[in-house]
Amino acid sequence: MVALQIRDVPDEVRDILAERARQLGQSLQGYLLELVKSEAERAGNVALLQRFEGRSDGAESSMSETVRELDAGRAARDAGLGHSAGASGATA
């Protein structure tokens, strides 16, 4: 493993981070390591999302289009299950 060092951290920033670590029952080092790991994981998510940029397969549909499609799918599902439109809950 490698060691990281951050220089010139303002005292007030260090104090806030140390307090947050204490609230979570962690050492400052453990808390900061979790922050760094979390940021690294998010970087992977951003890279994945960037792979889908520019696609024209419906990923850019409007919210109203999506709601209509979901409603139509639910209505079809409910019709197949013998539920009346607008009915909710389980049948006995």
Side-chain angles (χ1 to χ4, degrees):
M1 290 210 185
V2 65
L4 298 177
Q5 183 178 24
I6 302 173
R7 298 180 190 273
D8 302 321
V9 176
D11 290 339
E12 61 273 8
V13 171
R14 186 254 176 231
D15 293 345
I16 291 168
L17 293 171
E19 177 60 22
R20 182 68 181 136
R22 187 193 65 73
Q23 291 171 351
L24 295 171
Q26 297 178 318
S27 67
L28 179 57
Q29 179 178 331
Y31 176 68
L32 293 174
L33 179 57
E34 290 302 314
L35 286 177
V36 170
K37 285 179 179 179
S38 177
E39 183 60 29
E41 290 170 2
R42 277 196 291 277
N45 293 343
V46 169
L48 177 64
L49 291 173
Q50 288 173 339
R51 287 181 33 210
F52 292 97
E53 284 182 347
R55 288 180 62 168
S56 60
D57 60 356
E60 300 212 13
S61 61
S62 71
M63 185 181 304
S64 61
E65 290 172 317
T66 302
V67 169
R68 279 194 303 274
E69 290 174 15
L70 286 171
D71 286 344
R74 289 176 181 144
R77 177 201 61 206
D78 289 347
L81 295 174
H83 294 159
S84 62
S88 63
T91 57

